[in-house]
Amino acid sequence: MSDQPVSSLWDQGITKTYQIPINNLDYKFIEKCSDVKHLEKILRILRSGEEGYYPDLTLFCEKRIECLAPGSRALRKDKPPASASDFTTEEWEKINDEMKSWVTEMKEDYYKIQFPVTETLHERLDNLPAVRGSNSCLHVCCSVGKEILFCCILLCDCNIDLCIFFTLRFDVEKECSKVDEVCEENNSKACFNISSNLPVIEKKIETTGMTKKERHFIANREKEKGNETFTIGDYKEAVTYYTRSISVLPTVAAYNNRAQAEIKLQNWHNAFQDCEKVLDLEPGNLKALMRRATVHKHLQNYQAAIEDLAKVLHVEPENVIAKTNLSDIEQKLKDLEPVSENHTKGKRILIQDIEESDGDEERGGNGKEHENGSGDKSNITNFNLFFPTVLRTVIPFTSSMA
Amino acid sequence: MSGAGLEKPQLITHVQQSLSYTVFDCKWVPCSARLLCLGSVPRGTGIIQLYELQSGRLSLLREIEKAKPIKCGTFGATSLQQRYLATGDFGGNLNIWNLDAPEIPVYSVKGHKEIINSIDGVGGLGIGEGAPEIVTGSRDGTVKVWDPRQKDTPVANMEPVQGESKRDCWTVAFGNAYNQEERVVCAGYDNGDVKLFDLKNMSLRWETNIKNGVCSVEFDRKDINMNKLVATSLEGKFHVFDMRTQHPTKGFASISEKAHKSTMWQVRHLPQNRDIFMTSGGAGSLHLWKYEYPAQRSKKDSEGVEMGVAGSVSLLQNVTLSTQPISSLDWSPDKRGLCVCSAFDQTVRVLIVTKLSKI
């Protein structure tokens, strides 16, 4: 019944709204049509029911629009809020349990905060900056006034009803002369003040008089701000927020995140220090080990990187990133090897290199020495002499052919 | 429905409470599972009710009655330890209350000649550097900034020139409070004007007109270098402005989106993720949105001047809770996904939004 939305005659004219030919209210047409706006109109007509009630066709049309434009406004429907039936039993229980435990936790904490306000809170209140406008003076008012008049004229020209001017409450007795220079600056500032300077964000936060819970809250908030800026690629800003978080309450997460941001900025030494801090606080931290490995890789301390990655894989053998990094580094090491092969005349073939880490204190040493070796192309024997500490078996195979 | 529908956040009504008065605003009390409802009792006085979430329902802890109906409130300018509530009422009075001793306000001033439509605070709760301040916007067309340490007079006052017609200020918001000197106030008016006042330079930094009365403005975060501003209006439209790059003539880049089919009363950003926000509508619906940044946030125009590029907005979920407008919405700063909303059907609802951490 819902197949042919037309009566017995074929050419049925057009719909009341939108004036679309009735023939378009058809499965075949909708299937072939790729004009989203047209399909949306068809959907509206079908939903309104003015040409008849065709639930299957409406659904088909919706699916087609979803294929072409999932974000289309026509697909939005009014729905009631979700209830237990929209979730599995476990999910529903989990949600409810989480709420219960959170509520109990907050109740306990609330009574802890109810303790008398700390004395240092008053100290902090005294340390706040001065009330705005208490240093202003007459000159500012006049210069601002001129700018505002200008502003008003501009606004009238633009047909905007509201003109604004500002009154400043100030104490005339305060030092006006000191502010003269400030006035000069203000004069030169345009009404539409577009500052192209980078914002100056303080790296430390004043935490006198804060309870532990407050510190926790603020440190967490700064870290979240850092995460947000990191996600959109503002790594410098992210580092500032993480630094602020750490200045309030040093946490493993903040150090870890800052290390990652420093890696993106290619500040290898800063990243290294942050990784070290994390590993001081939490020796087995996998993220820190992986990040330190990345830093080592870029500083070309391949041996150290391999060790760090080995530790990660020991705990998480299936860690994909660690595995790829490891094979990457091994490849790099191999690439540095064949240099000695290239300059053998005749058929000097390097048969084996058995690398052994001799447990050297300076792990970086091996890597660096290795690099230096590859630059020395003249003599294999020299190669051996350079690195007496490296236990390596190199068997040069000289053929009789010159 | 398709499997992808299960990954979307779901909105659940956790608790619903009927009230016997018109509620205008609802707010979470920071660091607690308590919430406040502010409104107007039929006999014409104001009321503050303090509720606590307890085993799946709201239990009334306190009820405080005041002389004038209360329109709006904020905890924005108070410390986490004190948690004083600042309210604006129908008589134009700004009061700051200690909820443990609410008989006498801690601070009180008759700030405006007419009703205070909107209030915001910054510098408290660990949000925003610098001194705590409160801004109020009123039907008398003025926007005033107050410092609780200064009695009787505002520290800044933005008002129309003598002789000009005054427009109702419907909404105010603080922003850009990333260090001790910087701060801006954004105000929306009933004729569609959106104005940005810079409090450091005491100047009008930018303004625009979005053609319909502005019901609500909010910065995505008050305490960072201005990033995004959302302005909602009548006729079911909202605009998202990218505030990082200001062009000398074109101002800030923006995108707009239509939804709700009626007035968009409020917009509120999730405190734990600045790119997710919820809008509430006149038909009793809530829409949850996510903003996506463009590949390049700024580009050069034909004269080589930097201008911003706006991103895109996608709808994550929508629900219809009631037939009456949802006039007020507040996310809990302590639990991700928990929010409270109040509607003109004299009901306050606590909602849980699931799966927000996965976005």
Side-chain angles (χ1 to χ4, degrees):
Chain A
M1 186 176 140
S2 57
D3 276 57
Q4 301 272 315
V6 296
S7 66
S8 50
L9 298 169
W10 272 112
D11 230 357
Q12 281 317 291
I14 52 182
T15 58
K16 267 186 259 145
T17 39
Y18 301 129
Q19 283 78 48
I20 294 178
I22 298 258
N23 283 339
N24 290 2
L25 303 181
D26 175 54
Y27 285 99
K28 291 212 181 77
F29 178 83
I30 291 175
E31 207 172 349
K32 294 204 185 104
C33 182
S34 42
D35 179 3
V36 177
K37 290 246 172 331
H38 197 74
L39 284 170
E40 282 177 358
K41 287 183 189 161
I42 293 179
L43 186 61
R44 254 170 247 146
I45 296 171
L46 288 171
R47 275 182 180 161
S48 69
E50 60 182 26
E51 301 297 334
Y53 180 56
Y54 309 107
D56 291 328
L57 188 61
T58 318
L59 204 57
F60 187 75
C61 192
E62 277 173 12
K63 287 220 172 79
R64 179 79 188 137
I65 296 181
E66 207 176 321
C67 259
L68 296 172
S72 164
R73 265 182 228 149
L75 294 172
R76 291 182 198 160
K77 288 192 196 145
D78 284 340
K79 336 181 185 128
S83 61
S85 53
D86 297 294
F87 296 91
T88 62
T89 351
E90 295 132 9
E91 278 178 340
W92 186 249
E93 265 177 37
K94 187 167 161 221
I95 294 171
N96 278 328
D97 289 338
E98 258 179 56
M99 269 307 293
K100 274 199 201 121
S101 54
W102 178 77
V103 168
T104 348
E105 193 194 312
M106 292 314 284
K107 265 210 230 157
E108 286 165 11
D109 286 343
Y110 189 85
Y111 290 111
K112 285 189 199 145
I113 296 181
Q114 286 290 68
F115 281 20
V117 162
T118 62
E119 293 96 25
T120 32
L121 172 66
H122 294 293
E123 198 187 295
R124 182 154 60 102
L125 291 175
D126 292 332
N127 280 340
L128 290 172
V131 174
R132 191 181 300 278
S134 54
N135 285 334
S136 315
C137 93
L138 250 141
H139 288 186
V140 177
C141 187
C142 293
S143 55
V144 168
K146 272 195 222 135
E147 286 181 311
I148 297 304
L149 269 176
F150 171 71
C151 195
C152 290
I153 297 166
L154 246 187
L155 292 175
C156 293
D157 280 348
C158 302
N159 287 328
I160 295 173
D161 278 344
L162 180 57
C163 295
I164 304 229
F165 78 85
F166 304 84
T167 57
L168 299 174
R169 303 288 174 180
F170 53 82
D171 196 333
V172 184
E173 283 141 25
K174 296 258 161 132
E175 53 271 8
C176 265
S177 49
K178 208 174 30 164
V179 189
D180 264 355
E181 285 146 29
V182 177
C183 293
E184 290 300 314
E185 271 176 54
N186 278 346
N187 265 332
S188 56
K189 283 198 175 106
C191 207
F192 293 97
N193 189 9
I194 306 141
S195 88
S196 53
N197 306 330
L198 286 170
V200 174
I201 308 177
E202 289 297 324
K203 294 225 159 48
K204 271 178 65 171
I205 304 179
E206 201 46 61
T207 54
T208 46
M210 284 191 194
T211 60
K212 190 158 176 238
K213 197 154 170 72
E214 276 180 274
R215 274 179 221 265
H216 205 73
F217 180 82
I218 290 178
N220 207 28
R221 194 183 161 86
E222 294 296 324
K223 185 176 64 96
E224 275 173 2
K225 287 193 315 203
N227 290 349
E228 285 165 359
T229 41
F230 184 93
T231 328
I232 57 169
D234 283 336
Y235 301 121
K236 275 217 177 89
E237 213 180 320
V239 168
T240 318
Y241 288 125
Y242 293 134
T243 315
R244 282 159 64 93
S245 174
I246 290 167
S247 78
V248 174
L249 192 68
T251 54
V252 162
Y255 277 120
N256 249 339
N257 291 353
R258 193 169 70 173
Q260 184 69 329
E262 298 280 16
I263 288 174
K264 294 279 182 185
L265 290 170
Q266 303 192 343
N267 298 339
W268 310 119
H269 292 286
N270 290 348
F272 185 76
Q273 278 167 6
D274 284 332
C275 293
E276 292 283 295
K277 279 247 171 53
V278 177
L279 292 165
D280 278 341
L281 295 168
E282 215 182 274
N285 191 297
L286 294 178
K287 276 193 190 147
L289 285 169
M290 300 250 282
R291 285 165 193 173
R292 197 170 64 173
T294 316
V295 172
H296 280 311
K297 186 167 100 175
H298 283 100
L299 289 173
Q300 293 172 333
N301 303 339
Y302 297 120
Q303 204 53 41
I306 291 178
E307 281 174 24
D308 281 339
L309 289 171
K311 281 189 199 145
V312 176
L313 287 167
H314 188 68
V315 178
E316 265 182 28
E318 296 306 313
N319 192 312
V320 175
I321 305 173
K323 279 196 214 164
T324 15
N325 268 347
L326 192 59
S327 49
D328 200 35
I329 295 175
E330 282 173 350
Q331 186 60 41
K332 282 210 163 73
L333 277 173
K334 285 216 183 75
D335 288 343
L336 292 168
E337 284 298 321
V339 177
S340 33
E341 224 182 283
N342 287 344
H343 73 262
T344 56
K345 292 241 160 121
K347 292 194 175 108
R348 262 187 185 200
I349 303 164
L350 221 58
I351 292 187
Q352 291 251 350
D353 16 328
I354 303 166
E355 280 180 21
E356 281 172 39
S357 169
D358 52 350
D360 212 311
E361 293 290 294
E362 294 164 25
R363 294 199 199 117
N366 273 348
K368 286 210 181 94
E369 289 166 359
H370 184 83
E371 252 196 290
N372 286 340
S374 59
D376 185 5
K377 295 183 188 205
S378 49
N379 208 329
I380 285 197
T381 45
N382 275 352
F383 184 89
N384 282 333
L385 281 175
F386 262 111
F387 311 109
T389 52
V390 174
L391 300 174
R392 176 182 303 235
T393 322
V394 170
I395 306 170
F397 190 87
T398 328
S399 81
S400 51
M401 286 162 56
Chain B
M1 291 303 288
S2 60
L6 294 171
E7 288 311 315
K8 289 207 284 185
Q10 300 288 333
L11 275 84
I12 307 168
T13 312
H14 182 63
V15 177
Q16 190 164 310
Q17 176 84 12
S18 243
L19 304 170
S20 58
Y21 56 90
T22 311
V23 52
F24 291 113
D25 202 3
C26 53
K27 284 277 180 308
W28 287 100
V29 178
C31 292
S32 74
R34 299 178 174 197
L35 57 95
L36 283 176
C37 293
L38 311 171
S40 156
V41 178
R43 60 175 166 274
T45 53
I47 188 164
I48 302 174
Q49 279 191 334
L50 179 65
Y51 286 96
E52 182 160 40
L53 265 180
Q54 255 176 32
S55 49
R57 46 178 209 93
L58 283 176
S59 65
L60 178 65
L61 294 181
R62 268 196 104 127
E63 191 170 299
I64 305 162
E65 200 167 320
K66 293 294 163 199
K68 294 263 184 209
I70 300 177
K71 180 70 169 47
C72 50
T74 180
F75 281 104
T78 173
S79 70
L80 279 170
Q81 290 185 30
Q82 288 176 321
R83 287 177 290 184
Y84 293 160
L85 173 72
T87 59
D89 67 18
F90 275 51
N93 302 305
L94 166 68
N95 291 310
I96 301 183
W97 308 98
N98 178 351
L99 294 171
D100 295 321
E103 300 76 32
I104 303 181
V106 168
Y107 178 89
S108 176
V109 64
K110 177 148 169 71
H112 293 270
K113 301 192 191 92
E114 297 189 60
I115 177 178
I116 293 179
N117 280 318
S118 172
I119 192 172
D120 193 18
V122 73
L125 301 183
I127 298 174
E129 299 285 308
E133 280 175 345
I134 298 171
V135 64
T136 51
S138 159
R139 191 189 289 161
D140 65 4
T142 60
V143 174
K144 295 187 184 174
V145 180
W146 310 86
D147 186 317
R149 295 171 291 176
Q150 181 169 286
K151 283 190 176 309
D152 300 326
T153 48
V155 296
N157 178 3
M158 282 75 95
E159 61 184 10
V161 171
Q162 290 278 17
E164 286 295 327
S165 64
K166 59 180 175 69
R167 308 300 323 207
D168 281 10
C169 175
W170 279 355
T171 176
V172 288
F174 271 118
N176 207 35
Y178 63 86
N179 70 18
Q180 300 223 341
E181 288 89 34
E182 296 280 349
R183 205 164 273 184
V184 304
V185 167
C186 182
Y189 296 81
D190 69 338
N191 64 341
D193 284 342
V194 175
K195 297 190 189 283
L196 194 68
F197 305 110
D198 186 329
L199 292 181
K200 178 177 164 193
N201 308 316
M202 289 295 188
S203 64
L204 175 68
R205 184 151 163 183
W206 166 73
E207 63 173 342
T208 184
N209 186 300
I210 61 176
K211 311 281 188 303
N212 289 305
V214 184
C215 297
S216 175
V217 287
E218 201 193 36
F219 284 94
D220 56 354
R221 274 201 190 258
K222 292 184 216 179
D223 54 348
I224 56 171
N225 186 16
M226 311 195 278
N227 189 44
K228 296 199 307 295
L229 174 73
V230 178
T232 67
S233 71
L234 307 174
E235 313 283 332
K237 244 182 148 179
F238 71 86
H239 299 251
V240 183
F241 296 93
D242 182 314
M243 306 297 274
R244 277 290 158 98
T245 322
Q246 184 172 9
H247 189 273
T249 46
K250 295 184 194 148
F252 295 106
S254 76
I255 49 150
S256 70
E257 178 70 37
K258 253 178 124 76
H260 294 286
K261 301 182 204 128
S262 59
T263 308
M264 269 202 208
W265 283 76
Q266 281 258 291
V267 61
R268 284 283 178 260
H269 288 87
L270 185 64
Q272 293 87 3
N273 185 340
R274 67 184 187 188
D275 300 320
I276 298 181
F277 57 93
M278 186 125 87
T279 54
S280 71
S285 55
L286 291 176
H287 282 55
L288 186 68
W289 305 89
K290 177 164 167 64
Y291 180 81
E292 267 123 20
Y293 293 93
Q296 292 277 34
R297 286 188 74 176
S298 68
K299 62 175 187 206
K300 293 211 192 294
D301 69 356
S302 47
E303 282 133 37
V305 184
E306 287 281 332
M307 60 184 269
V309 177
S312 63
V313 146
S314 62
L315 178 67
L316 292 175
Q317 187 59 271
N318 65 308
V319 294
T320 305
L321 295 175
S322 144
T323 52
Q324 297 288 323
I326 296 181
S327 54
S328 164
L329 182 57
D330 192 37
W331 293 101
S332 165
D334 303 298
K335 181 148 177 58
R336 185 198 302 253
L338 186 65
C339 69
V340 64
C341 65
S342 67
F344 284 146
D345 59 358
Q346 298 195 346
T347 325
V348 66
R349 294 172 177 85
V350 176
L351 306 169
I352 301 176
V353 184
T354 60
K355 297 206 172 73
L356 282 176
S357 48
K358 300 215 174 73
I359 298 177

